[in-house]
Amino acid sequence: MNRSFNISEWALAHRSFVWFLVIIIVAAGALSYLRLGRNEDPNFTIKTMVVQVIWPGANITDTLQQITDRVEKKLQETPGLDYIRSYTVAGTSTVFITLKGFVQSRDVPDVWYQVRKKIGDIRQNLPQGIVGPFFNDEFGDTYGIIYAFTADGFTQRELRDYVEGARTRLLAVNDVSKIDIFGAQDEKIYVEFSSHKLAGLHLDRQALIQAVQAQNAVTPAGVVQTSDEEIRVDVTGGFRSEADLRNVNFVANGQIFRLSDIATIKRTYSDPPQPMFRFDGQAAIGIGIAMRAGGDVLALGQNIEGAMSEIRADLPIGIEPHLAADQPKVVKAAVDDFMEALWEAIGIVLAVSFISLGVRAGAVVACSIPLVLAAVFVGMEFAGIDLQRVSLGALIIALGLLVDDAMITVEMMVTQLEAGAEKTKAATFAYTSTAFPMLTGTLVTVAGFIPIGFARSSAGEYTFSLFAVVALALLISWIVAVLFAPLIGVTILPDQMKHTIEAEPGRIMQGFRRTLTGAMRAKWLTIGITLAALAVSIFGLRFVPQQFFPASDRPELLVDLKLSEASSIYATEKIVAAFEELLKGDPDIDHWSTYVGQGAVRFYLPLDVQLANDFFAQSVIVTKSLEARERLRSRLESVLIDKFSGVVSRLSALELGPPVGWPLQYRVSGPEQVRVREIAYKLSAVIAGDPRTEKISFDWIEPQRTLRMRVDQDQARLLGVSSQVLAQSLSAVVSGINVTQLRDGIYLIDVVARANEEERVSPDALRTLQIAIPNGGTVPLLQLATVEYAQDWPLIWRRDRNPTLTVQSDLIANVLPATVVDTLRTKVEALNAELPVGYRIVAGGSVEEGAKSTSSVAAVVPAALLIMLIVLMIQLQSFSRLFLVLSVAPFGLIGVVAALLITGKPLGFVAILGVLALVGMIVRNSVILVDQIDTEIAHGRAPWDAVIEATLHRFRPILLTAAAAILGMIPIAPTVFWGPMAYSIMGGLAVATALTLIFLPALYVAWFRIKEHSP
């Protein structure tokens, strides 16, 4: 860069054009601010895809070996794969593919395309009779707005008709990307036979089923071609109602039978029920509304509210829509709170400016702030960064930093005016004297944030906007300081200024001079005390609790209810009904919704979504405040233990950052399920030995009772019965088989043939089941097979093709997972050492995710340091000065540890990012001080005096910029998410600033062997 070109001088020579730029930037910034999207959290990609294959009738072993293992084996070829998890139940294989954090979001769709191709390649190698595979690469879609529709005096079908109508209308609303319906129960027509009655009439169930299917089939009957037109031929007979089914005739043994004569036909809802949705204790149908990428959730909320007002007016009395999840409301409150904090931070920074610089000089700094923010808003719009938790916090953090350059520029102008310089010369002097040290300091500060911006992990993606916004603000602030601030200063500052510094320095400066001189004289003592303080802080670091991300401060409370894996959905529904009785009338609850047979849909991006399982239910309770949430949690904890002892329950707040679930998790994996289970029990005993753990549970562990039919193959062949026919007969009795579908408007209603309830629900009734044989007769099941009870796994989780059982635990209040994992490490390692080859125990959950995220940041630190060193070397041109500038940076840890210990805040992932960013802030001040010392020596001062005068000269600017940065953090210090980072920066910067003004001069004179009176 050519030092002969003075940007400030050019700006003053083209004042009209520069003022025009000011107007354009402010106007564009205001427009961009209004157009920026609003969101609760930054968008980050859930890099997980789900592949599911169904194999009706297969047992869990066959499903695992023939489907799950083959799919997993092929998917191990997926580029960027982190790990594969699979969930296998009898007849259904569900595989989760999770990519590594370094996979860029833009590349994820291509990887999912590769997954589809790879599964397509092995499709012919999968067993015959499978259904699928099915793919879900929209696992991360968030339904920010959820409505629950309840009905009084209407059937489920009638309610669903209205919900479908509402969905159609809402899909036309701007920014809506998709709407899903959940909790709706599909209608079914059940044709229930009595096996004994069919046997008595010598009727073959399969023949009846085939006759029904043939009559309802949709088959082209052809087209008549005439010389003038085409006439399509239709054949009637298709079913339009259950009455059509009742009237179906059969001819058997010379007799005609109506279907209604030999079977009970009823139209009802799915039995057993599909996953259910409830609102405030009432059965409901929910619709989840997802916003398109880049949309404004506040605008979406207003549009949906307007559309729902019209829909509500058209609904009959008795059908009510209720707002179960309202992300726009949450986002508005969050944005309003952060904007309030931003204004508070602006007020604090302005107060520092006015008090320290005076009204006019402070006004110059005050004018710089909106100019920088306006340009940042424009940059955010171009970069696609919304106003959300991280970007708004970044604006507040940047606010204390972006005024640094403007303060230095104005302070230099004031100093020159006090010395009698003309205004234009004073305005351009700041550029010639400090522009490049300021640019170096700015670039070094930006470099401190580089690990945040380029960490290749989910957490890094989540916090990327912190780097982007701060870097943008700092770079723009330098441009404003050298291009616009001089012009604003020339406009606002008077032509001449009186000396604000008295002939004799004030008490503060006199006291500081004595302290500085004493520290320089006792340089080795100063250095020794500082090093000792650093050693103490390193030791104290072990007492600072570790954390990944804190819990959210939203009012929702999640309640998980998990029964034994063999439980039916009816048992789960019964438990839910009892639990909801506890919630009715609770003064701390605003409303709640419950998902029976599945986990809550993703109404919040970092939600840990649970799989659909009959034995699981999850309630989302929206309380009236954060305090109400904690009161309710305390009450429910004790009630669930006392009254629901057979249920594994967990109460938790929403998470911030990438979801991890249970706070304490250990994975036990190995080749054999039984051995894995034994190890998991031993591990649970180790965990239970720590009094800080509670509610230890497993993601699967209990075997399930099964009925096993041992077929006498010789006897079966003599009678002409195969195992396939036998299995179909049993399925028709127990679960029912889909015969055909009835077409009813927009719905397809399955027609299911099954045994009557008496035969269907009694395992003993199977022993007397009559099996049809080819000669038209029947034989009892016991003539072909023996019926016995056995045990099998109801489900099996695997990770990277090994059975994996997760031991999970909650922790008592104010205990963090990393602390417990550190305590248990010795015992867990001892247990690990005893395990056979192929078996291992690994810590998971937040500890594992935190380690991954921290390592992703650490991987970028060398590059950030290299950039920092290059920038500093260009400015300093000296290895000695480079060392001196960097020497203060590690000592910021003293303030960080002290601040976190005093406030009791954990050193979480966000706090670690703050510590890394702190390095650049500290080095920035050191650069300016060392550059000033060199300037003083170049002007002929003795080295000792040059160090003292330079430090005194930079005392006020360094103190002011540090005060602005520290005090500007106050508004976000009380927040859950930003608090640890704010305290880390405040404490670290406060100590480092003091050391820059005391320790760095002492180290300087020690390094260069400067004597007090050396020439």
Side-chain angles (χ1 to χ4, degrees), residues 89 232 234 283 310 412 441 513 553 645 706 872 883 991 1004:
V89 297
R232 193 169 64 85
D234 281 339
E310 297 175 3
M412 290 297 296
R513 187 185 188 103
D553 54 359
S645 56
T706 62
L872 290 172
F883 165 76
V991 170
Y1004 191 98

Side-chain angles (χ1 to χ4, degrees), residues 196 705 707 709 758-769 781-782 787 789:
H196 296 290
R705 191 172 63 151
L707 271 175
M709 308 292 167
E758 182 181 347
E759 297 178 357
R760 192 172 69 248
V761 300
S762 172
D764 292 332
L766 293 178
R767 301 175 188 274
T768 60
L769 177 65
L781 175 63
L782 290 179
V787 182
Y789 282 103

Side-chain angles (χ1 to χ4, degrees), residues 333-444:
V335 171
D336 288 348
D337 288 346
F338 266 103
M339 292 308 297
E340 182 180 338
L342 182 62
W343 284 113
E344 290 173 1
I346 290 173
I348 290 170
V349 171
L350 289 179
V352 171
S353 302
F354 285 123
I355 292 172
S356 58
L357 298 174
V359 175
R360 290 201 176 191
V364 177
V365 175
C367 291
S368 301
I369 292 175
L371 194 56
V372 174
L373 290 178
V376 169
F377 289 142
V378 174
M380 288 174 64
E381 184 180 10
F382 275 103
I385 299 173
D386 297 338
L387 290 176
Q388 28 78 359
R389 186 191 314 277
V390 175
S391 63
L392 285 167
L395 283 172
I396 295 172
I397 292 169
L399 192 65
L401 302 174
L402 62 84
V403 296
D404 289 5
D405 290 342
M407 278 186 168
I408 292 171
T409 299
V410 173
E411 198 269 341
M412 290 297 296
M413 286 183 65
V414 170
T415 301
Q416 289 299 304
L417 289 173
E418 289 174 346
E422 190 265 331
K423 270 205 300 188
T424 302
K425 292 292 182 183
T428 57
F429 177 77
Y431 181 85
T432 57
S433 61
T434 61
F436 289 96
M438 282 195 311
L439 179 59
T440 300
T442 297
L443 294 176
V444 165

